[in-house]
Amino acid sequence: MLPDELKIAVFASGRGSNFEAILNAIQTGKIRNARIVLVISNNAEAGALTVARSNGIPALLKQRNDFSSEKAFAEALLRVLESYSVNFIVLAGYLKKIAPEIISRFRDHIINIHPALLPAFGGKGMYGHLVHQAVIAARSPISGATIHLVDEEYDKGPIVLQKSVKVSPDDTEEGLAEKILSIEHELYPEAIRLFAEGRIHLDGRHVTIMK
Ligand code: GRF
């Protein structure tokens, strides 16, 4: 039996290509039992907001500076999430830390994508091209993408799916980012499909994918 339909809020700060890949997988029926009901961004210029609007998905700009405190900001976000009956949060290039109030309300129902193989090359400050720069500087022969559950610590939540790519000695940061982005676009929809089908089982920090 399928679990309740995933009513997804996507949080995105930038271009929004992962959001687009997920939306496409839903629209073409690769992911069933899931809908994106809302997109939230902290950046008025985010491509993700444009993509949402052109697909008729509510797209909201929510910025910390418009609120008197972190707590007031978190409470406002929680109210919005509630008003759209969101039951699952997908972070797709969202550059702000998620408030503890939101993490505890959506515990085990928030996922993130990281453009490297966690637990390596993750943590505070490891985002965007800095990740690929660090991988190349370390002469790591592989990198990749990781989908993980979000908890209170940056990039530390249980790992759901990973896929690797080879790093060649002449890879540039941009080239590596591009290689990894193309696997992100496969991996993120795949992870959401597994959640929507109720096939992700979490036991403590251990994720099992049910057949
Ligand atoms: C991706 O590389 C993702 O791994 C990272 O931020 C980037 C977002 O890209 N967290 P996009 O906005 O989805 O195109």
Side-chain angles (χ1 to χ4, degrees), residues 53-169:
R53 290 185 183 122
S54 63
N55 281 277
I57 298 170
L60 305 181
L61 177 65
K62 291 281 166 196
Q63 292 172 315
R64 162 69 183 88
N65 286 350
D66 295 335
F67 298 88
S68 57
S69 64
E70 290 291 346
K71 191 161 178 281
F73 181 39
E75 282 167 358
L77 287 176
L78 280 172
R79 276 196 301 275
V80 171
L81 295 168
E82 186 124 334
S83 71
Y84 284 87
S85 305
V86 168
N87 59 15
F88 200 79
I89 296 176
V90 169
L91 307 181
Y94 187 64
L95 295 178
K96 292 274 155 205
K97 196 158 179 5
I98 299 296
E101 292 89 338
I102 298 177
I103 293 174
S104 68
R105 164 70 184 77
F106 286 88
R107 173 110 22 226
D108 305 333
H109 293 78
I110 311 180
I111 56 175
N112 182 43
I113 188 159
H114 184 76
L117 295 175
L118 294 175
F121 303 108
K124 197 165 165 35
M126 273 290 183
Y127 62 89
H129 76 282
L130 296 175
V131 179
H132 308 301
Q133 198 179 71
V135 167
I136 289 170
R139 307 249 193 289
S140 173
I142 56 165
S143 190
T146 302
I147 312 291
H148 66 95
L149 286 155
V150 172
D151 64 15
E152 284 79 358
E153 277 187 277
Y154 268 119
D155 298 332
K156 286 282 174 61
I159 289 171
V160 178
L161 283 183
Q162 288 187 305
K163 193 166 178 186
S164 62
V165 295
K166 280 197 181 130
V167 184
S168 47

